[in-house]
Amino acid sequence: MEEYNSGDEVIFNSDEANTIVKECIEGVIGGTDYDQSKVNQWTANIVEHSLTHLVKQGRPFKYIVNCAIMQKTGAGLHTANSCYWDTATDGSCTVRWENRTMYCVVSVFAVAVAL
Amino acid sequence: MFPLNLQTAFIVEEVSKIIKESVEAAIGGNAYQHSRVNQWSTSVVEQCLSQLSKLGKPFKYIVTCIIMQKNGAGLQTASTCFWDNSTDGSCAVRWENKSMYCIVSVFGLAI
């Protein structure tokens, strides 16, 4: 059973998560144009890489990572989320990224685990 | 693995029904309107969340909603979760009408 870092850092650090997610997005789709045949594997790669890096931090959290990639054609897109949790320890962070041909929105939700 | 107690398990059919009702109530019968979509997505997630918390189960919930105008654009979403497979669960519902798509996901994490 993995040992968590107990005592310190039981609050979700949203800036760190922001940095991790930005790097993952750049790594997967930075410099590419929207490609319908590849978008499936891009979203899967982005969520998997982000999750792996977050879990590596070894903090006592459960994570949910969500990614949406949309082609730029002028359509309107709106996203919203609402959470029922412990506001003292849980948190989320959303990263919006775009290039010439597509938008990418990634949300990370972290819920503290009772030890 | 079967949930030992139905009153503390995440039941997908129950949650799916709540989501469908919330979406219908908030945007059923409306056409996409840029000026109102903000309040629609907020209203969908808040309705879902309040119905879910009324179930009285020992869960933390995360509800997300995406509303997209139908105009030929491609949209792909994915999500992955690091949790306890025996107690936690998720449910996603895709709804559409003539002018827009609405995708709602609910994640339930056992306390």
Side-chain angles (χ1 to χ4, degrees):
Chain A
M1 173 82 182
E2 295 176 66
E3 284 289 305
Y4 287 123
N5 303 335
S6 57
D8 55 349
E9 316 274 338
V10 200
I11 298 175
F12 179 62
N13 188 335
S14 135
D15 296 319
E16 238 184 302
N18 210 308
T19 314
I20 289 173
V21 169
K22 280 200 182 108
E23 284 171 9
C24 289
I25 297 175
E26 269 299 324
V28 177
I29 56 177
T32 57
D33 283 340
Y34 183 86
D35 184 340
Q36 202 207 352
S37 59
K38 295 201 182 131
V39 72
N40 205 346
Q41 101 205 30
W42 286 341
T43 47
N45 285 342
I46 290 172
V47 293
E48 279 169 27
H49 290 174
S50 303
L51 191 62
T52 309
H53 282 108
L54 287 163
V55 169
K56 267 199 203 144
Q57 294 181 316
R59 307 225 175 103
F61 283 103
K62 292 179 177 179
Y63 295 102
I64 291 162
V65 183
N66 210 24
C67 167
I69 293 182
M70 184 173 93
Q71 189 180 15
K72 275 189 178 177
T73 61
L77 175 78
H78 207 268
T79 70
N81 58 63
S82 186
C83 312
Y84 182 74
W85 59 23
D86 182 343
T87 51
T89 55
D90 306 332
S92 69
C93 111
T94 303
V95 174
R96 276 162 220 83
W97 181 97
E98 68 180 278
N99 70 8
R100 226 175 26 103
T101 54
M102 54 187 171
Y103 295 106
C104 177
V105 181
V106 178
S107 298
V108 175
F109 301 94
V111 173
V113 174
L115 290 166
Chain B
M1 200 166 167
F2 288 102
L4 295 171
N5 183 353
L6 285 177
Q7 297 198 317
T8 57
F10 185 86
I11 299 178
V12 176
E13 290 80 26
E14 193 176 39
V15 173
S16 174
K17 182 158 161 283
I18 286 174
I19 297 175
K20 288 187 181 128
E21 282 167 9
S22 305
V23 173
E24 268 300 324
I27 59 178
N30 287 319
Y32 182 87
Q33 263 176 276
H34 180 70
S35 57
R36 296 185 65 191
V37 74
N38 202 348
Q39 110 206 22
W40 284 343
S41 49
T42 309
S43 150
V44 168
V45 294
E46 282 175 7
Q47 272 260 64
C48 282
L49 204 54
S50 88
Q51 296 292 88
L52 288 164
S53 58
K54 277 196 196 142
L55 293 175
K57 294 190 176 173
F59 279 98
K60 291 180 177 179
Y61 295 104
I62 290 159
V63 183
T64 70
C65 167
I66 295 177
I67 296 181
M68 184 172 92
Q69 187 182 16
K70 274 190 178 177
N71 122 335
L75 173 75
Q76 176 78 19
T77 70
S79 68
T80 189
C81 313
F82 179 73
W83 61 21
D84 183 339
N85 274 333
S86 54
T87 55
D88 304 332
S90 70
C91 166
V93 171
R94 221 192 79 147
W95 180 97
E96 68 181 279
N97 68 9
K98 263 198 322 150
S99 57
M100 56 186 170
Y101 294 106
C102 178
I103 302 169
V104 178
S105 303
V106 172
F107 301 93
L109 297 115
I111 297 175

